[in-house]
Amino acid sequence: MLYELLIAPFAEFGFLRRALVGCLVMSVAAPPLGVFLMLRRMSLTADVLAHGILPGVAAGFILAGLSVTAMSVGGLVAGLAVTLGAGALSRATGGREDSALAALYLVALALGVTMISASAGSVELTHLLFGSVLGVDDPALLMMAGVATFTLGALAFAWRPLVLECFDPSFAAAEGARGGAWHLLFMGLVVLNVLAAFQALGTMMAVGLMMLPAVAARHWARAVGGMVYAAVGIAVLASASGILLSYHLDVPTGPAVVLAAGAAWIVSVLAGPVDGVLARVMRRRHLAG
């Protein structure tokens, strides 16, 4: 019974194995970035960038069809343009960077949808917005693996400056940590991982494996390293369970993976030992007694 539920689908169908590998690769690289986004109070930034890459993805699609290389290059250019443009606008006008990001992402999202709708149609638009985990091919898997490898190496190199920027930016500045350069590197990593996740989950769902496990992880650990380990574990569990649920219940795979991550977040909020609802209730009862 357990074999049929948990193992047989992957043993029988190659496309399910490929989907699992793709999601597991992203589960290792994206959640650590989500933890830093959460700690820097930039949780919605990844969602903004996921929509901001759409015009570039649309341009790649129009020029070369469903080419991973073309859509990835276009999405990378668009994502970096939104990121750097928001920073430049905030410095030039004295406004907040999040406001500039919001404005640019709305324009980019509308432009991307218009480009795809005008040149392709609703089927292609749905594919690009929501992805196709079960359609992950060799180029997409290679891209995911390359992005994950680069991300983990870059995080190992930038770990200390990023942690300092999260908890004590004044000390980091005094130590000459070059916060602006590390911020740009970090945002570049976010754009790359959103692009890689887009291949499987689409622009609308690409942030799910990055942010939901990270938000859930704060209820299981207090140290940054512990949060990262917990976020990766939750993402791996959500990937496997989401794909299995989509197979057994015949529902779309990408949303199923994100919903599994959402279920893990709900469990974490309720039962997590760090600021979970039950932990708070038990603590209050203990103090009252």
Side-chain angles (χ1 to χ4, degrees):
M1 182 65 175
L2 285 178
Y3 176 83
E4 293 181 357
L5 287 175
L6 303 179
I7 306 298
F10 298 116
E12 184 175 354
F13 298 107
F15 63 89
L16 285 180
R17 293 194 297 272
R18 298 165 70 85
L20 179 63
V21 170
C23 286
L24 291 182
V25 166
M26 295 315 304
S27 296
V28 174
L33 296 175
V35 170
F36 281 109
L37 284 170
M38 177 189 65
L39 293 175
R40 294 160 72 100
R41 299 183 179 180
M42 298 172 61
S43 297
L44 292 177
T45 300
D47 189 54
V48 168
L49 293 177
H51 297 316
I53 68 172
L54 191 57
V57 171
F61 173 78
I62 292 171
L63 292 175
L66 291 173
S67 166
V68 172
T69 302
M71 291 191 296
S72 299
V73 171
L76 179 61
V77 171
L80 292 177
V82 169
T83 302
L84 298 177
L89 284 174
S90 65
R91 287 191 295 271
T93 63
R96 291 175 57 89
E97 186 175 356
D98 58 342
S99 300
L101 271 174
L104 287 174
Y105 116 78
L106 289 171
V107 173
L109 177 61
L111 177 61
V113 171
T114 301
M115 291 170 64
I116 298 170
S117 299
S119 63
S122 59
V123 175
E124 287 79 4
L125 177 61
T126 300
H127 175 82
L128 293 177
L129 288 178
F130 300 104
S132 177
V133 176
L134 300 183
V136 173
D137 54 11
D138 286 342
L141 281 178
L142 289 174
M143 177 189 176
M144 291 178 183
V147 168
T149 302
F150 178 76
T151 299
L152 293 177
L155 283 178
F157 177 71
W159 182 269
R160 178 178 168 80
L162 289 177
V163 172
L164 281 176
E165 281 288 320
C166 289
F167 293 103
D168 198 342
S170 299
F171 179 75
E175 290 290 307
R178 299 180 181 177
W182 293 115
H183 177 72
L184 287 178
L185 171 63
F186 175 71
M187 294 302 291
L189 292 176
V190 173
V191 171
L192 282 175
N193 278 265
V194 166
L195 264 176
F198 148 77
Q199 301 296 333
L201 302 175
T203 59
M204 299 296 286
M205 297 287 179
V207 188
L209 274 181
M210 182 180 293
M211 292 311 306
L212 281 170
V215 176
R218 69 170 293 271
H219 295 288
W220 298 100
R222 296 187 184 276
V224 178
M227 290 183 192
V228 168
Y229 288 130
V232 170
I234 292 170
V236 167
L237 180 62
S239 296
S241 59
I243 292 173
L244 287 171
L245 284 173
S246 72
Y247 172 78
H248 290 297
L249 301 180
D250 193 23
V251 296
T253 308
V257 171
V258 176
L259 284 174
W265 168 69
I266 292 173
V267 172
S268 302
V269 169
L270 294 176
V274 180
D275 294 330
V277 174
L278 293 179
R280 283 177 172 268
V281 170
M282 295 299 293
R283 190 181 306 119
R284 288 172 184 170
R285 288 183 178 177
H286 175 74
L287 293 175

